[in-house]
Amino acid sequence: MKRKNSLFNRPTSTKTPQSKKTIEYPDIIEVSALSHEGRGIAKQGGKTLFITAALPGEQVRVNIDTRHRRYDEASCTEVVTASEHRVSPACEYYGRCGGCDLQHLNHDQQISTKQSLVIDQLARLGKFTPSEIEAPITSPSWHYRRSCRLGINQLTRDNSALVGFRRKGSSKLIKIDHCPVLSEPLDALLKRLPKVLEGTDSFKEITHAEISMGDHEGALTLRVKKTPKEALTTQLNKLAQDNNFKLYFDYGGRIEAVDGEAQLNYRIAETDTLIHFEPGDFIQVNAHVNEQMIQRALAWLQLSDQDRVLDLFCGIGNFTLPIATRTESIVGIEGVEEMVERANHNAQSNQLTNCEFHKANLTNDLRAMPWYKQGFNKILLDPPRTGALEIIKQLKQHSAEMVLYVSCNPAALARDGAELISQGYTATRFCVMDMFPHTSHVESLVLFERV
């Protein structure tokens, strides 16, 4: 799930060689499907046309943006016949900001479409279909993000503050005064931060802000080239305190609190587990989905006090610690030393003595590691977008009863799932998770059981 903020998309390269034969498209184009990145799909002369802001079943007029050898890209300029699922975007920046790409599609239909797209990719790429499709895990579609990253720039023409996200298809920033997908505390900071910055002569030493919110308190972390002047620091600190945040400066190699550390944590209600994190740590951005995801993982794994569980890509213990409350023992593996330290601290603060954490590169051969030789009968995987093929191939010798795969990339899930099936597993349970409403990002849970 994972690990880069979806509000900072990178522009797509347009350097693909052009087709030898230029397709002439009709004035009105029929849209037949939706792509996995949320664009409408049309076919003409054996070539695929991807259309931004178009929906299946619609008739549209388009502007051809880029021609490639195998496909073309276009923008919708007019909806001639609208889909019954089309809605008016709620955000005034939609279409210009690079964060959301599905606000023009009804939220319920977004979820249904994402589920169909993932199941289709599993069948086409992985050659398998889960036995049971369970209800999606959803959340409120607005004000769901508890962390984000904002770009900050000072305009030379008038010294005003440009605070916002990347423009759609560009690395440049778009000024954002408010964002309806941010939680209300984060949105409040976004609204007030530019005025504070503009109250000083210069803030060019500040390049971006990382904002994260726990259950009760948040952190405003500013990436700086050097420490801001005292007057600006005072005003920034007051802004943070007035909104129940603590101010931090990130100098690249270190992060320092300006006036005391924030109490950053969130509680998993199902197991009454309190998970602490620090500024810069990865956390699941959607608290509602995260809580339900953990509940479903606990239920699907059918945990007992006889189980020995392995949690790969464990982070700060988001899954590990709740699982530890239900099982004999669990080992968490993570590639970042700071996350391992945080997970150990969280285990101690929750008085959990049946879990241990280790740092390891999960693309390497790990079979000589002492923890690897312990033997596990249930395994959980929560890899980044690249997937977990290397470690899955090594897990074969454990012959675990169950492998629960938490995915943020359907293509990697299809590939890795095919490998698990080749080892004798069956995909028995599946659901999508709406971690990022109004975006094309989709996350999934798949349970593989040995037959």
Side-chain angles (χ1 to χ4, degrees):
M1 330 202 54
K2 277 297 260 225
R3 308 231 175 207
K4 298 292 182 184
N5 193 299
S6 68
L7 295 176
F8 262 62
N9 295 333
R10 294 186 180 275
T12 303
S13 173
T14 58
K15 297 183 179 180
T16 306
Q18 292 187 354
S19 171
K20 294 179 180 178
K21 180 181 178 181
T22 300
I23 297 293
E24 293 298 329
Y25 293 99
D27 179 49
I28 298 177
I29 293 176
E30 301 271 353
V31 183
S32 59
L34 200 68
S35 72
H36 66 271
E37 76 274 15
R39 295 187 290 179
I41 297 175
K43 301 286 186 178
Q44 181 72 25
K47 199 171 189 182
T48 300
L49 178 65
F50 293 102
I51 310 169
T52 300
L55 297 175
E58 293 188 331
Q59 294 180 320
V60 299
R61 288 189 172 92
V62 306
N63 179 65
I64 304 299
D65 297 325
T66 313
R67 294 184 183 271
H68 301 265
R69 185 175 298 277
R70 299 181 182 276
Y71 64 93
D72 293 334
E73 297 176 283
S75 299
C76 177
T77 58
E78 180 185 353
V79 178
V80 179
T81 304
S83 164
E84 63 178 320
H85 303 298
R86 179 175 284 275
V87 295
S88 297
C91 180
E92 64 186 278
Y93 305 105
Y94 184 68
R96 294 179 290 145
C97 174
C100 297
D101 42 27
L102 284 178
Q103 282 192 26
H104 60 290
L105 180 60
N106 174 276
H107 182 231
D108 288 342
Q109 191 63 25
Q110 290 178 29
I111 300 168
S112 175
T113 299
K114 289 178 182 182
Q115 176 174 285
S116 297
L117 287 170
V118 177
I119 292 173
D120 176 69
Q121 285 194 279
L122 298 184
R124 285 189 303 104
L125 304 178
K127 309 302 180 186
F128 69 92
T129 300
S131 305
E132 185 175 347
I133 311 299
E134 299 203 7
I137 293 175
T138 64
S139 74
S141 66
W142 303 110
H143 300 298
Y144 65 84
R145 287 196 69 104
R146 60 179 173 183
S147 66
C148 76
R149 182 182 186 189
L150 298 168
I152 297 175
N153 197 5
Q154 185 171 19
L155 300 180
T156 56
R157 64 174 182 267
D158 58 5
N159 290 328
S160 64
L162 176 55
V163 179
F165 303 119
R166 294 193 189 277
R167 291 181 177 273
K168 195 174 188 68
S170 171
S171 60
K172 295 182 178 180
L173 295 178
I174 178 172
K175 185 175 182 178
I176 300 290
D177 294 320
H178 66 91
C179 176
V181 303
L182 296 183
S183 69
E184 292 178 357
L186 271 64
D187 196 31
L189 271 185
L190 170 58
K191 292 175 182 176
R192 295 163 187 164
L193 179 58
K195 293 181 181 179
V196 173
L197 295 174
E198 290 170 352
T200 186
D201 292 335
S202 175
F203 51 91
K204 291 185 181 296
E205 64 269 25
I206 304 174
T207 60
H208 65 260
E210 301 261 4
I211 312 175
S212 56
M213 189 74 196
D215 286 348
H216 305 292
E217 192 174 25
L220 169 61
T221 305
L222 299 177
R223 179 72 165 86
V224 296
K225 300 174 185 176
K226 61 180 181 179
T227 303
K229 292 180 180 179
E230 183 177 352
L232 177 55
T233 297
T234 299
Q235 289 303 310
L236 289 168
N237 194 39
K238 184 177 186 304
L239 170 69
Q241 291 179 348
D242 288 349
N243 290 274
N244 201 28
F245 285 77
K246 293 290 188 180
L247 179 64
Y248 292 78
F249 289 147
D250 179 357
Y251 295 93
R254 70 188 192 282
I255 297 176
E256 294 183 359
V258 173
D259 186 18
E261 302 279 348
Q263 295 300 309
L264 298 176
N265 55 60
Y266 59 91
R267 187 174 297 278
I268 304 302
E270 177 79 5
T271 56
D272 195 28
T273 307
L274 190 66
I275 299 182
H276 173 80
F277 63 96
E278 294 285 341
D281 287 354
F282 169 80
I283 60 172
Q284 300 294 349
V285 302
N286 191 321
H288 296 279
V289 168
N290 187 54
E291 177 78 32
Q292 296 175 71
M293 176 178 67
I294 292 170
Q295 290 175 359
R296 197 160 293 189
L298 295 173
W300 284 10
L301 285 170
Q302 302 174 42
L303 297 166
S304 75
D305 57 9
Q306 305 297 311
D307 290 326
R308 301 178 314 281
V309 184
L310 176 63
D311 180 9
L312 299 171
F313 309 94
C314 69
I316 59 176
N318 188 58
F319 284 103
T320 327
L321 302 173
I323 289 174
T325 68
R326 303 284 178 86
T327 191
E328 176 187 319
S329 64
I330 184 167
V331 175
I333 307 299
E334 170 58 42
V336 180
E337 182 63 41
E338 290 81 1
M339 299 297 96
V340 174
E341 293 174 2
R342 208 89 69 239
N344 273 312
H345 170 78
N346 282 326
Q348 293 168 11
S349 64
N350 284 278
Q351 299 181 336
L352 295 169
T353 59
N354 62 337
C355 51
E356 58 185 81
F357 296 91
H358 302 278
K359 178 181 179 296
N361 184 336
L362 291 172
T363 63
N364 293 342
D365 189 337
L366 303 170
R367 286 169 288 189
M369 297 290 183
W371 59 261
Y372 183 89
K373 300 176 181 179
Q374 292 182 28
F376 307 95
N377 68 314
K378 293 178 182 178
I379 297 171
L380 186 144
L381 296 155
D382 185 10
R385 290 189 60 81
T386 50
L389 186 60
E390 296 88 350
I391 188 63
I392 286 175
K393 289 180 177 179
Q394 298 178 51
L395 296 176
K396 184 176 181 179
Q397 72 183 68
H398 289 297
S399 299
E401 304 163 21
M402 296 180 178
V403 176
L404 181 59
Y405 195 119
V406 186
S407 167
C408 63
N409 182 352
L413 172 61
R415 179 201 64 200
D416 296 351
E419 171 62 26
L420 285 166
I421 287 171
S422 75
Q423 295 180 16
Y425 289 92
T426 297
T428 57
R429 306 178 83 168
F430 164 88
C431 73
V432 294
M433 300 181 290
D434 195 28
M435 186 72 74
F436 301 97
H438 306 301
T439 78
S440 57
H441 296 285
V442 56
E443 308 218 353
S444 312
L445 280 180
V446 184
L447 181 66
F448 295 89
E449 297 186 71
R450 185 169 293 281
V451 294

